[in-house]
Every structure is written in C-alpha cells, then in structure tokens.
Amino acid sequence: MSDTGTSDTGTSGTGTSGTVSADVAAALAEVVGRDQVLTGDQISPDYGHDEMLSAAAQQPGAVVRPASAAEVSGVLRVASAHQLAVTARGSGSGLSGAAIPEPGGLVISLERMNRVLEIDVDNHVAVVQPGVTLSELDEATSAHGLTYPVYPGELSASLGGNVATNAGGMRAVRYGVTRSQVLGLEAVLPTGEVLRTGGKLVKASTGYDLTQLIIGSEGTLAVVTEVTLRLYPRPPHQATVLAPFHTVDEVARAVPKVVHSGVAPLILEYIDGLTMGAITYAQKLDLGVPTEVREKAQAYLLVMLESGHAQRLDEDTEQLGNLLTELGAIDLYVLPGPSARRLVEAREKAFWTSKAAGANDIIDTVVPRAAIPEFLAAAQEIGQRHGAAVFGCGHAGDGNVHLAVFQPDDEVRSALLRELFEASMKLGGLISGEHGIGRAKKRYFLELTDPATIDLMRRIKRAFDPTGILNPGVLLEP
C-alpha cells in the first residue's frame, strides 16, 4: 500500500541476482525441507506466469512447496520477517495475472497440498486442500453420486485458485459461482496466524462473514489452505439443445425468456458464428448443422438441461424447443450425448482457440442479462471504431460476456478496453464476472471504480496484511 511505507516490498530478502539470499533460503528450508525450496535454475519458467495474454513472465526469487497449513504459516513468518513479496499459486490457469509473482519475490506453490480430505455424504460437503483440481474432485464426488457444480472451463484448475478468483463457468446460471459453494475456509494470514471461518453449515449469522471476504480477494488477504464445499446430487439424465439464430441480438433477447420459462437450464450459453466456426474446426467437431443453416446463423444458443427423471427431462426439452422456435430459432438440434459433451468441451476451450488465433486480450465483463443485447451492440461499435475484431461467447444466463479482442497496438487496445468496461458499467455491470482483476485489469478497475470503494478495500487490505507482502501489485497498487 502506498501509505504504509512498504512500497519496496519484496526487495529486502533478495540479492542482486533476483534470487533470495542464502539466509532466507535456509530459513525457508527449515520450515518445508531443503528439497521443497527452489532457487535459481531450479525454478521452472511455469512458476513465473499464469495464462494472462498481455503480460510477460516474472522470475521469482524462490519457490516453496509446503505440505500443510503449519508449513504455510512458517513460510509466511519468514516472508514477513524479511519483507518478501508472496504470491500463492495453484495450477496457474488464471487469466488475469494474479499468479504472476513479483520479480525476486516468493512463490508459495500449493501443488503438494492436493488431498481430498473428506466427502461427507450426509451433509453433502467436501473438505479439500487448495491444490486439489476440479477433475480430481469430480472423480472423488462421482463415486458417491454427488457433484461439485463449478466448472470454469479448465478442469486442471485448482480449488484454491477458484476461491481466489470466485470462479464461475457455464453452470453458474443454475448453481451460482464459487462464492455460492464455499461454506468454510482455513487460511493463513501473512503474520502466520491460522484462521478458520464457517464450517459444514448452510447458514450463519454470527459476526462478519470472513469466508466471503477472502473469496475473490486474489491472494491479497490470506493464503487459503483448506476449503469446505457444498455438494449436490448428481442427476442421471441430461439433454442438450443447440439453436442457431439469424443474429446475436435474437439470441441475447431469447435468454431472459428461457430463464423465465421454468426449465432451469444447467447451461445457457451464447456463441457467435465466428467463434462457433473456430471451436468446431479446432476440435474437428461435426454437429450435423447443414451448410445452409450455418451460412444464415450469426449466433447460437447452447442449452443443457438435467433431471433426475427421464420423463420430466423429455417434457422440459419439448417445452424448450417450442419456446426457441417461437423466439426465432432457424432450427433445433438435440445433440446426442457424445456430441453434446464435445461441444461443451470445445466451448470451455474457447480461450485456447482464441489464444491460438492470436487474440491480444480476453475480457469477461458482466452485465445484467437483460442488458446483453445493448452491451454486445456497443462492443461491436467500439471495436469497429478502434479498428479491432471483437467477438466471442459467454454465459448468457448470468450476463457474463467473454470477448476476444484482436488489436495488436497496445495504446489503441487500452483505449478500446476502457470503453468496453465503461459501457458495461453504464449498464449496471462490472469489469470482471469470474476471471478477476489481477494485474490485467487493475488500471481500469482503479480508474473506473468509486474512490470510496477503493479506499475501503485498501483499509481492509491493511487490516489483513499490514506490511503489504501478499500479492503486491494485484488488484490494488502496492
């Protein structure tokens, strides 16, 4: 924080080469063991970046790999004593630069804290360490007929990272985002104190809700070492409907009516025609949509339904089909299971498709879902005015719009992004719906957010992290 006297955070424990000093390395080794402290050439380049498109990797001074909350506590005590900047890292699959370390700082990699500690069937709860991936949790819950519903598009993502960014994904329209699923946390403050919040409780009214405060804080308040999650029964029946429309506007205007219909979609996604072509080509996916329909369709609505009863699912699917036809769908395709799964996977990998195509930035702004048509129209106008290609897809059911921006000129692109964020905020939206602010969008967040809000966030940051060692430069200025 600029007013705490710690603007040089992350330098006093490092040498001129950018590696931590021998004394600091030795102190860290006493906590986690010599083999779990990496310095110099031992540090893989992967520890220096996440998947943010517009930022260079940074070489940390050291990487430590603790195996318990006690070891995380000891590491943070060493970091505090030496004023060493700390970045907690999960799978590194984030898109906003929150896992990019300070040069010469300390990365706490949570890869060894990867155990599913408990599946509590009676309470529909899972207790996991932060390094557990979504794929690993899904395997553990499926054996009990349960599911954890947050799928942000990358199953290698860790639960700790999901908590840090309040990850969402395609199923948020029905189940909500990470914030809706976390019942309790164990977290370590930068002073080394271990904090427990919440528990196996579905409601509480006892003091400040520190669980919710830590969720989405992007590693700037505490290092999460254990997560208690809400689970749900795993419905056995699913159906997926793909509906091509003549325009993106028609798709966007159909979304509120689908939500209002009562069919309770598990997934409700819009995909523009260019993105659909790109992802199906990249995944070699033939959905059986005739050429003449593809030529007419500028956008698609992807709807997945689920149910515990096959007959109810058939009724809901028929109701949905009738509604989409009334709303102007060119045609309807009820996709067989394998094709549906492949299309959902292809949609989840849209980021990688955009990255391979040379996108210069990815944004995930969010607006009230009824405002999607107006925002998309504004986005196209802004893109054209700045000589940029702007297209994509999004979680239409909750207003989360994902856009790939193709404009290589940094200055022009910066002006374009600011206008996009301003347009979303004028419609009652926010800069990020699920990827977080990180380093990528910090400038716009600080410029466009009410100063009173920023000031309160700075005071909260100081209360948790008085010397400013946790993720300096992320979300707020150090």
Side-chain angles (χ1 to χ4, degrees):
M1 314 291 296
S2 58
D3 52 349
T4 63
T6 59
S7 60
D8 61 344
T9 292
T11 61
S12 64
T14 61
T16 57
S17 65
T19 61
V20 299
S21 67
D23 288 346
V24 172
L28 294 170
E30 287 183 11
V31 176
V32 298
R34 185 177 302 277
D35 291 344
Q36 305 306 328
V37 179
L38 309 179
T39 58
D41 293 341
Q42 297 173 315
I43 300 175
S44 164
D46 284 346
Y47 290 114
H49 67 89
D50 56 14
E51 295 299 335
M52 177 181 168
L53 292 180
S54 55
Q58 302 283 4
Q59 176 76 2
V63 175
V64 293
R65 300 181 296 199
S68 66
E71 290 187 357
V72 172
S73 173
V75 167
L76 286 173
R77 290 181 191 277
V78 172
S80 290
H82 293 273
Q83 275 299 281
L84 201 58
V86 173
T87 299
R89 179 184 177 84
S91 298
S93 60
L95 299 174
S96 294
I100 298 176
E102 287 286 289
L106 180 66
V107 168
I108 297 180
S109 173
L110 298 164
E111 62 196 275
R112 295 176 64 220
M113 297 181 67
N114 60 353
R115 293 170 53 215
V116 177
L117 300 173
E118 182 183 6
I119 301 294
D120 184 337
V121 177
D122 291 337
N123 285 309
H124 282 191
V125 162
V127 182
V128 304
Q129 291 183 311
V132 171
T133 67
L134 289 170
S135 178
E136 292 165 343
L137 179 58
D138 188 60
E139 182 178 355
T141 56
S142 65
H144 300 277
L146 299 172
T147 186
Y148 176 69
V150 177
Y151 282 83
E154 181 52 63
L155 293 182
S156 68
S158 68
L159 270 302
N162 281 194
V163 169
T165 58
N166 187 31
M170 290 196 284
R171 300 183 183 186
V173 63
R174 179 159 187 170
Y175 290 103
V177 295
T178 301
R179 190 179 300 284
S180 309
Q181 317 307 333
V182 177
L183 300 174
L185 296 171
E186 177 187 75
V188 184
L189 300 177
T191 54
E193 298 165 279
V194 179
L195 177 73
R196 278 200 171 269
T197 71
K200 295 181 181 181
L201 309 167
V202 295
K203 63 178 181 179
S205 183
T206 307
Y208 296 141
D209 195 335
L210 298 179
T211 303
Q212 294 298 319
L213 186 57
I214 293 172
I215 297 169
S217 62
E218 303 189 57
T220 62
L221 300 182
V223 177
V224 171
T225 51
E226 185 180 288
V227 190
T228 301
L229 299 165
R230 188 194 308 264
L231 302 178
Y232 299 81
R234 187 179 290 255
H237 305 290
Q238 292 183 336
T240 303
V241 176
L242 180 66
F245 284 80
H246 288 98
T247 66
V248 174
D249 187 68
E250 284 182 327
V251 168
R253 295 188 186 283
V255 168
K257 298 185 183 302
V258 173
V259 174
H260 186 68
S261 70
V263 297
L266 171 65
I267 290 174
L268 183 55
E269 297 283 300
Y270 89 86
I271 309 171
D272 70 25
L274 284 172
T275 302
M276 178 64 83
I279 64 177
T280 53
Y281 175 81
Q283 300 298 319
K284 298 180 173 57
L285 180 57
D286 183 0
L287 300 173
V289 181
T291 301
E292 59 270 22
V293 173
R294 293 200 304 270
E295 290 175 347
K296 296 176 184 177
Q298 291 187 15
Y300 295 79
L301 195 62
L302 174 64
V303 189
M304 180 178 285
L305 307 177
E306 66 176 4
S307 178
H309 305 283
Q311 183 177 346
R312 174 61 186 274
L313 181 65
D314 290 342
E315 293 170 355
D316 286 348
T317 304
E318 182 178 1
Q319 178 186 347
L320 173 66
N322 292 336
L323 175 61
L324 294 176
T325 299
E326 293 173 6
L327 294 171
I330 300 171
D331 205 345
L332 296 173
Y333 304 90
V334 180
L335 302 179
S339 293
R341 285 190 294 272
R342 290 190 64 200
L343 178 57
V344 170
E345 290 171 1
R347 161 62 190 91
E348 288 174 338
K349 291 178 169 59
F351 163 73
W352 302 104
T353 303
S354 297
K355 182 177 180 179
N360 302 105
D361 241 312
I362 302 288
I363 67 168
D364 70 311
T365 192
V366 61
V367 297
R369 61 175 170 247
I372 289 178
E374 188 174 350
F375 176 74
L376 290 177
Q380 289 305 310
E381 187 277 327
I382 293 167
Q384 291 170 7
R385 186 155 34 81
H386 288 86
V390 178
F391 60 88
C393 48
H395 311 315
D398 54 30
N400 195 182
V401 180
H402 293 245
L403 295 174
V405 178
F406 293 78
Q407 171 49 265
D409 186 293
D410 291 345
E411 187 174 339
V412 174
R413 189 172 70 255
S414 177
L416 181 156
L417 292 177
R418 182 188 172 95
E419 287 193 39
L420 286 175
F421 296 140
E422 285 180 314
S424 72
M425 294 175 77
K426 286 178 182 177
L427 293 170
L430 294 171
I431 291 173
S432 174
E434 60 185 11
H435 295 166
I437 298 299
R439 298 179 186 275
K441 298 180 280 281
K442 179 180 65 174
R443 167 188 169 186
Y444 311 104
F445 172 68
L446 295 177
E447 290 176 357
L448 298 174
T449 302
D450 177 14
T453 299
I454 298 296
D455 181 62
L456 179 57
M457 290 177 65
R458 291 188 186 281
R459 283 183 275 159
I460 292 170
K461 166 72 171 172
R462 282 198 294 273
F464 274 80
D465 183 18
T467 57
I469 66 168
L470 288 185
N471 243 5
V474 169
L475 191 60
L476 299 168
E477 292 293 350

